[in-house]
Amino acid sequence: MSSSPEHWSLVVAGGGPAGFMTAIAAAEAGLGRVLVLESTPEPLGKVLISGGGRCNVTHACWEPRPLISHYPRGGPALLGPFSRFGPRQTLQWFRSHGLDLVQEADGRLFPRSQSSLSVVACLRGAAEAAGVQVRQNLALKGVEPRPGGGFVLTLRDGRQLLARQLVLATGSHPSGHRLARSLGHSL
């Protein structure tokens, strides 16, 4: 006997920092039933190796216009997002969640502990406190819009989930591009 699919308000495909921040922000804003799907055994795994294991969280370039000049691809498209949530807001967010960042002479900001484990612990703790569910070793294989709104999500193992909203936070992984194209998006 098959069980009915789980229903989620938001499913975030991708358990990296962007996926975690998306899920946490949604849950902290009051959205219930938020799920992060990570295809690997270790959510936030790339955070552990970034910055030589120290994780340079952001940069002390406080104004959006100079900041976008450091992004050769998509710089102008980032002006709006960085105007709403840039390095200053990133610094404040991490401090409000118990992680102090320190600035180095070149402007990079690292956790005071000098360990990326602190960043992972902060993000995992914030997700847990906000009620975000995280599941690893689960890849999103397919997505179909539902009549009337939302999505039917098919996982690699064949199970299905229902989501009112979906965010693809897969970085440059080809699966995210494939899923976006299947929904009619162009990149």
Side-chain angles (χ1 to χ4, degrees):
M1 180 192 245
S2 67
S3 59
S4 62
E6 295 178 52
H7 291 256
W8 296 91
S9 297
L10 171 65
V11 172
V12 178
F20 264 74
M21 288 296 291
T22 299
I24 294 165
E28 287 181 344
L31 191 63
R33 305 269 314 143
V34 176
L35 173 66
V36 173
L37 294 175
E38 171 55 34
S39 64
T40 71
E42 187 62 44
L44 299 166
K46 288 185 181 177
V47 171
L48 294 172
I49 60 172
S50 72
R54 297 187 306 143
C55 188
N56 47 315
V57 175
T58 191
H59 197 276
C61 187
W62 307 116
E63 297 304 317
R65 286 206 184 276
L67 181 61
I68 66 168
S69 71
H70 298 285
Y71 291 85
R73 295 177 311 199
L78 294 172
L79 185 58
F82 282 155
S83 295
R84 290 184 292 283
F85 198 94
R88 187 178 323 280
Q89 291 81 8
T90 300
L91 177 67
Q92 292 167 347
W93 187 91
F94 275 100
R95 282 188 177 154
S96 73
H97 288 81
L99 184 67
D100 195 30
L101 302 177
V102 293
Q103 182 177 333
E104 295 196 344
D106 64 2
R108 294 178 300 162
L109 282 103
F110 290 89
R112 184 171 297 284
S113 68
Q114 296 296 306
S115 172
S116 58
L117 290 170
S118 299
V119 178
V120 169
C122 179
L123 290 169
R124 282 185 172 269
E128 184 177 339
V132 172
Q133 300 256 341
V134 179
R135 295 191 185 156
Q136 59 259 19
N137 291 315
L138 283 177
L140 183 56
K141 180 181 175 185
V143 57
E144 293 179 30
R146 292 180 72 194
F151 302 93
V152 177
L153 309 177
T154 302
L155 304 178
R156 187 184 300 146
D157 66 8
R159 285 184 290 156
Q160 291 189 323
L161 306 173
L162 301 178
R164 196 168 346 124
Q165 298 174 46
L166 171 66
V167 172
L168 299 175
T170 57
S172 62
H173 195 277
S175 66
H177 296 242
R178 180 182 49 76
L179 292 166
R181 277 193 304 274
S182 78
L183 293 169
H185 294 283
S186 60
L187 303 171

